[in-house]
Amino acid sequence: MAQSEILKGTATDTQDAREQGLEGRFLRPIRVVVIGAGSNFTPRLVADLLAIPDNAGGTIALVDIDEARLRAMEQLVRRMAGERHGPKWNVEAAINRRDVLVGADYILVCIEVNGLACVAADNDIPLRYGVRQCIGDTIGPGGVFKGLRTIPVFLDILRDIEALCPEALVLNYTNPMAMMMLAAGRTTRTQVVGLCHSVQGTSKLLADRAGVPVEELDWECAGINHLAWFTRLRHGGHDLYPKLKELARADLSGHPANPDDRHDLVRKDMMVQFGAFITESSPHLSEYLPYYRRHDDSLARYCQDNFPGDGPRTGSRYYADMWPIFRAEADRDRIAMIEGRKPVDWNRSWEYASWIIEAREKDRPFRIHGNVMNHNGAGGTLITNLPPDTCVEVPCLVDRAGIHPIRVGALPPQMAAVCTWSLGVIDLGARAAVERSQEMATHAVMLDPLTAACCTPEEIRSMVREMFTAERDFLPGFD
């Protein structure tokens, strides 16, 4: 299955969209609601929306419970909309989402529940038990606890959508993606798809490493979020994996063909050992696996991307250290953009949101990779050797009728097994959040591959108890 049409999402002008047959006009103005509008995602997603060729305008409604960030984003979006010559886009802002949901066509969810309050506890309590996370927001102890805080809020949002705009399409950008989408798939009838940019980014990276034009790359990719595998990677009828594996082996042996490219070693090693390349970056991917973060020597050998942390090349406090800095930088950049000291005239990006909206409004099919329930396909289970009642990341076709997941069939068994390691964490993490159960949350962390490689079950239970104590004020209703 050729996937080059997805990469047209990197378009820099209207002609790229026209080459895909997306040159039709919107039939109507649309209403787009952004919940968590203070997010770093918002300026880019809004810029992409405004850049859709031949759009009919409409309304962008911004929602955030942080009023200072909401008002700043309102000013910025008004400036961005005002600088676009063409159809009129109205801008609204509200602290209460129910004030702006009625009549919504599309809802972008970019929430961060409790802000920075729990980032250190999510990282540092597990670190004292020897669990050296890097990001810790989608898997592992940090990912489970972020899910416990975020999923109840997400489900409240979806219930409001069901009541006030049940036909709206929800595009979720919030992590932990797989846990959130699984909880949503089990508890709501809302039309919702989870969107990540790791598939698009990795396909471009692989084309660059193979030295082929990305638009000529022929590939297939499927799995779960942050553990999706490029099971097919070809150019001109030739398999690219022999070349990529040869380069990876040289990098892993310490004798790279290009000394500047001796990085991303976790993904390269997984490709050599398991047969295919994975979508998530090496530092983040290392958290999903039991192999690379347990010992100092494996951290030093494999996890040496430029992620600052608690020691040379380890990155074991990367997210805890850097996320507050990133938020502060984003706030400063936002003010600079509002004041005209920083440009906002970006080219359209490969983030999927605007391409989904364009494909639906113009009824011109477009292919994405989305996070959906595995039993969501018209042909039955999408990935046949993963459980039906889980969330998977698979190709989906978008047209006027919505999101249509495509049946992949079976992954190679070793790749499905690696995905399965994380599915217990995702399953029990989602259940724990829905049922407000500390015991289920404890079992979710016990099943995490990295945590299990570092701790006994008794140690994990103690660690989780400490995390619940530290975050008690942010986890209402847990027994």
Side-chain angles (χ1 to χ4, degrees):
M1 175 175 58
Q3 299 289 328
S4 60
E5 63 266 49
I6 299 177
L7 294 172
K8 294 295 186 179
T10 61
T12 57
D13 57 36
T14 304
Q15 183 61 36
D16 286 314
R18 287 178 175 158
E19 288 172 1
Q20 298 173 74
L22 293 173
E23 69 274 21
R25 292 181 176 274
F26 278 22
L27 299 179
R28 54 170 188 152
I30 59 173
R31 184 174 183 84
V32 180
V33 178
V34 184
I35 299 179
S39 164
N40 296 349
F41 276 106
T42 302
R44 170 59 66 188
L45 297 179
V46 168
D48 290 348
L49 176 65
L50 299 174
I52 297 174
D54 302 313
N55 70 77
T59 298
I60 301 170
L62 307 171
V63 179
D64 204 297
I65 61 173
D66 184 330
E67 187 168 9
R69 300 187 103 211
L70 174 65
R71 298 308 168 192
M73 190 60 70
E74 180 185 11
Q75 293 181 63
L76 175 56
V77 172
R78 288 187 186 279
R79 181 193 165 196
M80 295 168 71
E83 290 187 0
R84 290 283 179 177
H85 301 289
K88 174 69 174 177
W89 284 94
N90 300 310
V91 180
E92 300 175 1
I95 294 173
N96 186 339
R97 61 182 177 264
R98 293 181 67 90
D99 292 341
V100 296
L101 280 176
V102 173
D105 299 295
Y106 301 95
I107 298 159
L108 281 55
V109 179
C110 312
I111 60 176
E112 183 184 27
V113 177
N114 305 128
L116 299 173
C118 300
V119 175
D122 282 351
N123 186 88
D124 293 348
I125 294 172
L127 187 58
R128 289 203 302 271
Y129 284 81
V131 183
R132 294 185 275 195
Q133 302 172 104
C134 179
I135 307 295
D137 74 335
T138 59
I139 201 70
V144 169
F145 272 77
K146 186 172 183 182
L148 300 182
R149 299 189 302 269
T150 306
I151 289 169
V153 176
F154 184 50
L155 296 183
D156 283 345
I157 292 169
L158 296 183
R159 281 188 281 270
D160 284 346
I161 291 168
E162 282 189 338
L164 299 174
C165 49
E167 300 303 315
L169 177 60
V170 181
L171 310 179
N172 178 53
Y173 276 95
T174 303
N175 280 326
M177 179 67 70
M179 285 185 214
M180 291 178 65
M181 294 302 299
L182 183 56
R186 288 172 172 172
T187 62
T188 180
R189 297 185 303 277
T190 307
Q191 302 177 77
V192 57
V193 61
L195 302 178
C196 183
H197 43 235
S198 58
V199 173
Q200 306 100 295
T202 303
S203 57
K204 174 66 164 60
L205 179 149
L206 289 171
D208 290 344
R209 287 184 181 168
V212 303
V214 65
E215 63 274 10
E216 297 177 10
L217 200 65
D218 176 16
W219 51 273
E220 293 180 353
C221 183
I224 64 175
N225 186 234
H226 293 178
L227 270 176
W229 302 78
F230 280 80
T231 55
R232 176 185 175 93
L233 195 64
R234 301 176 69 84
H235 177 254
H238 299 289
D239 185 1
L240 295 176
Y241 269 125
K243 175 181 180 180
L244 291 174
K245 290 177 182 177
E246 179 182 359
L247 293 172
R249 289 187 182 97
D251 292 347
L252 290 160
S253 71
H255 302 286
N258 177 4
D260 294 333
D261 195 37
R262 193 176 183 275
H263 64 282
D264 207 10
L265 296 185
V266 172
R267 286 202 284 187
K268 290 176 180 176
D269 192 52
M270 289 295 290
M271 174 180 63
V272 169
Q273 304 299 336
F274 283 83
F277 207 76
I278 301 173
T279 47
E280 191 48 50
S281 66
S282 280
H284 203 356
L285 174 61
S286 67
E287 300 178 300
Y288 284 78
L289 303 167
Y291 309 121
Y292 302 103
R293 303 192 69 83
R294 182 180 176 187
H295 300 297
D296 289 342
D297 56 352
S298 57
L299 275 169
R301 179 180 179 188
Y302 294 102
C303 302
Q304 54 184 282
D305 293 64
N306 294 321
F307 277 29
D310 63 345
R313 303 184 295 182
T314 66
S316 297
R317 286 202 92 251
Y318 173 73
Y319 194 75
D321 285 339
M322 298 306 297
W323 188 239
I325 296 172
F326 292 155
R327 275 179 55 112
E329 289 176 347
D331 288 342
R332 287 194 295 270
D333 286 347
R334 204 162 292 166
I335 298 302
M337 287 185 275
I338 292 168
E339 294 176 350
R341 294 182 286 109
K342 195 176 181 70
V344 294
D345 55 342
W346 302 305
N347 293 323
R348 192 175 179 186
S349 79
W350 59 24
E351 294 289 356
Y352 283 138
S354 73
W355 300 92
I356 291 170
I357 292 170
E358 182 171 8
R360 288 195 76 207
E361 293 301 315
K362 296 178 179 179
D363 197 21
R364 299 298 176 89
F366 186 73
R367 195 184 302 270
I368 68 165
H369 275 70
N371 290 273
V372 296
M373 292 298 287
N374 197 24
H375 55 61
N376 204 13
T381 303
L382 300 171
I383 300 180
T384 54
N385 53 351
L386 295 182
D389 185 34
T390 196
C391 175
V392 293
E393 190 167 71
V394 294
C396 303
L397 198 65
V398 187
D399 62 14
R400 179 85 72 199
I403 310 289
H404 311 286
I406 297 171
R407 185 177 183 273
V408 172
L411 290 174
Q414 74 278 15
M415 300 176 197
V418 171
C419 290
T420 302
W421 286 345
S422 293
L423 291 183
V425 187
I426 292 164
D427 174 31
L428 287 173
R431 291 180 189 272
V434 171
E435 300 183 24
R436 303 292 213 281
S437 170
Q438 288 194 28
E439 186 68 6
M440 282 188 181
T442 302
H443 288 146
V445 179
M446 285 181 180
L447 293 174
D448 176 62
L450 175 60
T451 306
C454 299
C455 301
T456 67
E458 182 180 5
E459 290 170 334
I460 295 170
R461 186 173 291 279
S462 176
M463 175 180 68
V464 170
R465 189 181 302 117
E466 282 191 46
M467 294 178 76
F468 269 109
T469 299
E471 301 185 18
R472 180 188 299 111
D473 292 343
F474 306 99
L475 293 165
F478 279 82
D479 54 37

